[in-house]
Amino acid sequence: LPLPRTLITVVEFILNRDLCEILEAEHINAERLQSVVEEMKRWAFKRDQGNFGFVASGKISELMRRLEQQPRNIALVETIEKVLTILSQLNLDFDLWKAQNIYFAIGRLHYSERKKQSAVDELARKWIVSFERLGQILQVKII
């Protein structure tokens, strides 16, 4: 049976609010984000595309600025990668140019050094793998 329109409107509002709260939090709860995204996909609820794209782009840029301050933080690289992967399921229009520029700058400053270290350092190897996956998601290649 289809859900009554009144119930759909309430659930859409709650899921939209939950998604914004997750993205506006200082630390993103990836499991909760995945859960909300799955609910939105399952019921094909409407999303405030413009607002979510704006909020999500801002959050990704913020996370990338943190990474710029802590470029060796593997957990942060993995978090950004995970958040982008989850959000990509919603087909939002992201404005990622700031995040892409920061990624490129981090790569120019740290990639070759970490690549050399990866031959003997497991953490450096893990960083390289995560950083390269993030670059694929952001569609930025380190030269």
Side-chain angles (χ1 to χ4, degrees):
L1 292 172
L3 290 174
R5 183 68 204 149
T6 307
L7 182 58
I8 289 173
T9 302
V10 170
V11 174
E12 282 176 352
F13 174 79
I14 291 169
L15 289 175
N16 285 333
R17 189 200 66 216
D18 286 351
L19 187 58
C20 279
E21 284 179 0
I22 292 167
L23 292 174
E24 291 171 346
E26 185 175 344
H27 300 286
I28 291 185
N29 181 334
E31 291 77 27
R32 185 167 175 236
L33 177 62
Q34 181 65 49
S35 175
V36 170
V37 167
E38 286 174 4
E39 281 298 312
M40 293 180 106
K41 285 178 20 187
R42 179 165 33 135
W43 295 102
F45 288 133
K46 294 178 185 171
R47 294 174 290 283
D48 184 354
Q49 295 283 359
N51 185 47
F52 287 149
F54 178 76
V55 171
S57 297
K59 187 58 163 187
I60 296 303
S61 294
E62 174 192 323
L63 291 171
M64 289 299 294
R65 282 190 297 274
R66 282 189 208 167
L67 184 61
E68 190 173 32
Q69 299 300 313
Q70 310 167 31
R72 293 178 179 244
N73 188 335
I74 296 169
L76 185 53
V77 174
E78 291 172 343
T79 297
I80 298 167
E81 176 193 351
K82 183 179 246 182
V83 168
L84 279 167
T85 300
I86 293 169
L87 290 174
S88 69
Q89 299 172 52
L90 294 177
N91 298 317
L92 298 173
D93 289 328
F94 295 112
D95 183 9
L96 296 176
W97 69 270
K98 288 179 187 174
Q100 291 166 328
N101 287 340
I102 294 169
Y103 177 88
F104 187 77
I106 293 169
R108 294 283 309 252
L109 290 173
H110 301 281
Y111 183 82
S112 62
E113 173 192 339
R114 298 299 284 171
K115 187 77 168 173
K116 289 175 191 171
Q117 293 172 346
S118 69
V120 294
D121 182 354
E122 180 63 33
L123 287 177
R125 192 170 20 259
K126 186 176 178 182
W127 186 91
I128 289 292
V129 169
S130 295
F131 193 74
E132 287 176 347
R133 279 196 310 248
L134 179 57
Q136 289 172 348
I137 293 168
L138 289 171
Q139 299 178 349
V140 177
K141 186 168 178 96
I142 299 300
I143 305 170

